Amino acid sequence: MTTPLLGVTGITKRFGGLTVVNGVSFDVAPGEVLSIIGPNGSGKTSTLNIVSGVLASDAGSVTLDGVPITGRKPHQIARLGLTRTFQNGRVIGNLTVHDNVLVGLDGLGQQESKLREIPGLRWLPLLGEALGALFAPRKGVEQAETAVTRQLERFGERLAPRRDQYAFTLSYANRRRTEIARALVADPRVLVLDEPTAGMNQTETAEVLKQLLQLKQQGQTMLLVEHKLDLVMTLSDRIIVLDEGRIIAEGTPAEVRTDPRVIEAYLGTAFVKEHTHE
């Protein structure tokens, strides 16, 4: 068996008497796309938050290529090669598209941790990331520019011509694209995506799916949470299904969409009938 690039073992998170993630375990192999689906409140985003260091787990462990990352801060995990996007987009409106993507190369939250310690400035974590990226010493400006340009060009006319526009002027879909570009600019070993097409229409979703399929073809390892099931079924190698914080099913897209527990908890019979071809 291939040694997993990302290993998650028995992670658990409680908020008071509510257990939102309950003993979740899974592996992600190099080059694999693993998706997590489930009803609202099933623990999907909390799972991603634990994996990426945003949320501390009460039990269990996470490893990246065999290195324990449990308890590390998000910027430390990012430096080890796991980057992410968020369910609610986190572009910095008063920075240009170019500079938003550049944030993904340097800093990586180093300034954020300092700002959080200063009373009255705890609302500035994203500005801290930006300052760390824009003013910290870089190995090479040309190398950084090449990396940013490559990611902007990945999204073609949607982002490349807008590199010098402020992010607050962008459409919602282009803000989401900017966030994906920022997560990709440092060539992460694992890309974590939390509902990357949320709020996008059918055409916009299809464009992002095409770009994610290209990433998959290039060998990018991905961990994905997404409610748009057609995208999930097309992109994923494997799917795990959460309900009330527990894994209720795991397998290939074909296996998951015919699992009675998944149909009852999440998919519904209409989806299965629409996607069953005999």
Side-chain angles (χ1 to χ4, degrees), residues 50-66:
I50 292 171
V51 168
S52 60
V54 174
L55 191 63
S57 60
D58 296 316
S61 63
V62 183
T63 60
L64 181 60
D65 200 14

Side-chain angles (χ1 to χ4, degrees), residues 195-210:
E195 297 192 39
T197 67
M200 293 187 183
N201 62 33
Q202 188 173 358
T203 299
E204 293 164 343
T205 298
E207 288 180 6
V208 172
L209 173 58
K210 180 180 178 181

Side-chain angles (χ1 to χ4, degrees), residues 67-78:
V67 177
I69 60 173
T70 311
R72 295 180 187 249
K73 295 180 179 180
H75 69 272
Q76 295 171 327
I77 294 173

Side-chain angles (χ1 to χ4, degrees), residues 29-33 83 85 150-155 176-177 179-193 196 207-224 235-237:
E32 183 178 30
V33 178
T83 62
T85 65
R150 181 161 61 95
Q151 295 308 327
L152 294 179
E153 290 179 347
R154 180 187 301 279
F155 294 92
R176 299 307 298 252
R177 293 184 179 101
E179 189 179 8
I180 296 171
R182 183 173 64 199
L184 283 168
V185 72
D187 291 325
R189 304 175 73 188
V190 179
L191 176 65
V192 177
L193 299 166
E207 288 180 6
V208 172
L209 173 58
K210 180 180 178 181
Q211 286 143 359
L212 294 179
L213 286 169
Q214 290 172 345
L215 282 172
K216 179 179 179 178
Q217 188 176 23
Q218 293 164 8
Q220 177 67 60
T221 306
M222 288 181 269
L223 176 61
L224 170 75
L235 182 63
S236 306
D237 295 303

Side-chain angles (χ1 to χ4, degrees), residues 11-239:
I11 58 172
T12 296
K13 184 62 184 178
R14 303 180 186 90
F15 293 104
L18 178 65
T19 302
V20 295
V21 180
N22 196 343
V24 169
S25 299
F26 58 86
D27 293 332
V28 185
E32 183 178 30
V33 178
L34 176 69
S35 292
I36 304 175
I37 64 172
N40 288 331
S42 60
K44 304 182 299 296
T45 291
S46 293
T47 296
L48 297 191
N49 286 343
I50 292 171
V51 168
S52 60
V54 174
L55 191 63
S57 60
D58 296 316
S61 63
V62 183
T63 60
L64 181 60
D65 200 14
V67 177
I69 60 173
T70 311
R72 295 180 187 249
K73 295 180 179 180
H75 69 272
Q76 295 171 327
I77 294 173
R79 288 193 185 114
L80 291 173
L82 185 148
T83 62
R84 67 168 295 180
T85 65
F86 291 85
Q87 186 177 14
N88 300 313
R90 295 192 179 184
V91 296
I92 306 168
N94 289 327
L95 291 183
T96 64
V97 172
H98 168 277
D99 290 347
N100 264 278
V101 177
L102 185 62
V103 167
L105 276 178
D106 293 298
L108 293 172
Q110 189 172 23
Q111 299 295 325
E112 174 185 352
S113 61
K114 296 177 183 177
L115 287 172
R116 287 187 184 277
E117 297 171 2
I118 303 174
L121 293 183
R122 294 175 182 173
W123 57 275
L124 287 174
L126 287 178
L127 180 57
E129 291 181 10
L131 293 174
L134 295 175
F135 299 111
R138 293 189 289 271
K139 292 183 178 179
V141 174
E142 290 185 4
Q143 185 178 0
E145 289 299 315
T146 298
V148 170
T149 298
R150 181 161 61 95
Q151 295 308 327
L152 294 179
E153 290 179 347
R154 180 187 301 279
F155 294 92
E157 64 180 13
R158 302 296 188 183
L159 289 187
R162 296 175 169 85
R163 62 183 294 131
D164 296 322
Q165 296 179 13
Y166 288 106
F168 73 82
T169 68
L170 299 177
S171 67
Y172 179 81
N174 280 338
R175 294 182 190 185
R176 299 307 298 252
R177 293 184 179 101
T178 300
E179 189 179 8
I180 296 171
R182 183 173 64 199
L184 283 168
V185 72
D187 291 325
R189 304 175 73 188
V190 179
L191 176 65
V192 177
L193 299 166
D194 193 356
E195 297 192 39
T197 67
M200 293 187 183
N201 62 33
Q202 188 173 358
T203 299
E204 293 164 343
T205 298
E207 288 180 6
V208 172
L209 173 58
K210 180 180 178 181
Q211 286 143 359
L212 294 179
L213 286 169
Q214 290 172 345
L215 282 172
K216 179 179 179 178
Q217 188 176 23
Q218 293 164 8
Q220 177 67 60
T221 306
M222 288 181 269
L223 176 61
L224 170 75
V225 164
E226 179 59 74
H227 278 292
K228 295 179 181 177
L229 294 178
D230 286 339
L231 182 150
V232 169
M233 297 295 172
T234 301
L235 182 63
S236 306
D237 295 303
R238 285 189 303 125
I239 300 171

